[in-house]
Amino acid sequence: MKKIYSIIAYLLLTVSLWAQAPQKMNYQAVVHNSNGSLITSTQISIRISVLQGSTNGTPVYIETQKQSTNTNGLLSLEIGLGIPEIGMFSEINWAAGPYFIKTETDLTGGTTYTITGISELMSVPYALFSSKTSVDGFSHYLGEVFNGGIIFYIYKGSDGLEHGLIVSPIQGSQIAWQTSPMVVNANRSWDGVYNTSLMTDSPAKNYIATLGSDWYLPSIDELSKLYRNRYYVQKGLKANGYTLMPMAIYWSSTEFNNTTSAYYLSFISGYTVSASKTTLISVIGIKAF
């Protein structure tokens, strides 16, 4: 726990990504010393790792850079343009995430890296994702209008084929999960198709049925993926003349651990919460390909 606190005290960071510049990412950090004072107009060394899977995952790319902070203690650099130690930035398979950015810093400009910070890369710039996935055989991209909706998740399955999840461009009004709450064992956090098939006496399920075949109410895990990639969904909706997805709370198809509640996810705060199944909450449909 002491190490975590020291990271927060020494280094405050944000990762800034943009789509028009391929094969690099902007990185900015405000750098402090152990007393909390800004490190200004000073050259420092930083080692950057892209970790796959988790905060303790395998580094697929590592580079080092030396850059100077400005008069406000701000460090700015571009990940992908440093001196590579492991891998090639252009060869990262962004479809095989999640990925985490790990930074190690030496305030003296040497190679004794004593300050460490790790943050999850919540979304991948379109230019990076599309350039790599096309190499790996992907024909689709995040935010693409496809099969009646907008693609918000893509992966390659165990069958070696491309798969993904699509969100409907039409959102339902606030409706109940169930009119007369009862347990139906729709308890899978990852499988919305299974959960939706079990829902009974359900206005939410009835709404999903109006969208057509193959649509279903997302599980809480699928809804979380939609929340994380909403940037691409909103861009796709906007570019194709659809109404943007409201920043609201949305039902999942996953029951809570009793007979009367189910999980919903707030697209305002990112929190997963449970509520009575009779609560009126927004509904959105997804389907897989």
Side-chain angles (χ1 to χ4, degrees), residues 8-284:
I8 296 174
Y10 288 115
L11 189 62
L12 304 176
L13 64 87
T14 60
V15 178
S16 174
L17 312 178
W18 77 106
Q20 61 266 32
Q23 306 309 315
K24 59 184 179 181
M25 294 187 294
N26 273 350
Y27 170 89
Q28 290 185 323
V30 179
V31 185
H32 298 76
N33 62 19
S34 58
N35 297 320
S37 299
L38 292 173
I39 303 296
T40 61
S41 303
T42 302
Q43 186 180 74
I44 67 174
S45 300
I46 185 167
R47 180 164 60 193
I48 303 164
S49 304
V50 179
L51 309 179
Q52 184 178 26
S54 70
T55 56
N56 297 313
T58 302
V60 296
Y61 177 75
I62 298 177
E63 70 170 32
T64 58
Q65 293 198 35
K66 287 188 177 182
Q67 298 288 344
S68 295
T69 59
N70 66 13
T71 55
N72 296 314
L74 180 67
L75 173 71
S76 298
L77 55 84
E78 295 176 325
I79 300 174
L81 300 184
I83 301 173
E85 289 188 352
I86 293 178
M88 297 177 61
F89 191 75
S90 61
E91 292 301 313
I92 297 174
N93 181 3
W94 297 107
Y99 286 98
F100 296 78
I101 300 295
K102 177 181 179 181
T103 59
E104 300 169 276
T105 307
D106 184 345
L107 300 181
T108 67
T111 57
T112 304
Y113 302 104
T114 58
I115 304 172
T116 302
I118 300 178
S119 61
E120 184 174 3
L121 191 57
M122 298 302 291
S123 59
V124 178
Y126 168 71
L128 296 180
F129 187 92
S130 61
S131 67
K132 185 55 189 168
T133 54
S134 62
V135 172
D136 285 345
F138 282 79
S139 59
H140 297 291
Y141 59 87
L142 299 181
E144 177 187 358
V145 175
F146 176 69
N147 200 15
I150 305 291
I151 296 176
F152 67 92
Y153 181 62
I154 301 174
Y155 67 97
K156 185 168 289 187
S158 58
D159 56 4
L161 301 177
E162 179 181 10
H163 298 280
L165 295 173
I166 304 165
V167 62
S168 170
I170 304 172
Q171 295 85 43
S173 58
Q174 294 185 337
I175 51 181
W177 200 98
Q178 227 174 24
T179 303
S180 301
M182 65 185 77
V183 64
V184 295
N185 295 314
N187 52 17
R188 292 185 180 179
S189 67
W190 69 95
D191 191 347
V193 172
Y194 172 84
N195 292 339
T196 304
S197 70
L198 297 178
M199 294 170 66
T200 58
D201 192 21
S202 174
K205 180 179 180 178
N206 292 341
Y207 165 75
I208 295 297
T210 67
L211 298 176
S213 61
D214 299 327
W215 293 97
Y216 60 92
L217 191 65
S219 68
I220 192 61
D221 291 344
E222 291 168 321
L223 196 57
S224 295
K225 290 188 180 296
L226 175 59
Y227 170 74
R228 289 177 58 182
N229 286 330
R230 64 196 183 282
Y231 166 81
Y232 300 101
V233 174
Q234 300 290 45
K235 287 197 69 175
L237 290 170
K238 180 68 174 178
N240 291 278
Y242 293 111
T243 301
L244 295 181
M245 186 169 57
M247 296 294 284
I249 58 176
Y250 292 92
W251 274 127
S252 81
S253 60
T254 306
E255 287 182 298
F256 189 55
N257 59 353
N258 59 46
T259 61
T260 62
S261 300
Y263 287 107
Y264 70 83
L265 192 148
S266 170
F267 276 44
I268 302 169
S269 65
Y271 292 149
T272 296
V273 190
S274 64
S276 168
K277 293 177 182 177
T278 59
T279 306
L280 302 183
I281 292 177
S282 296
V283 176
I284 194 165

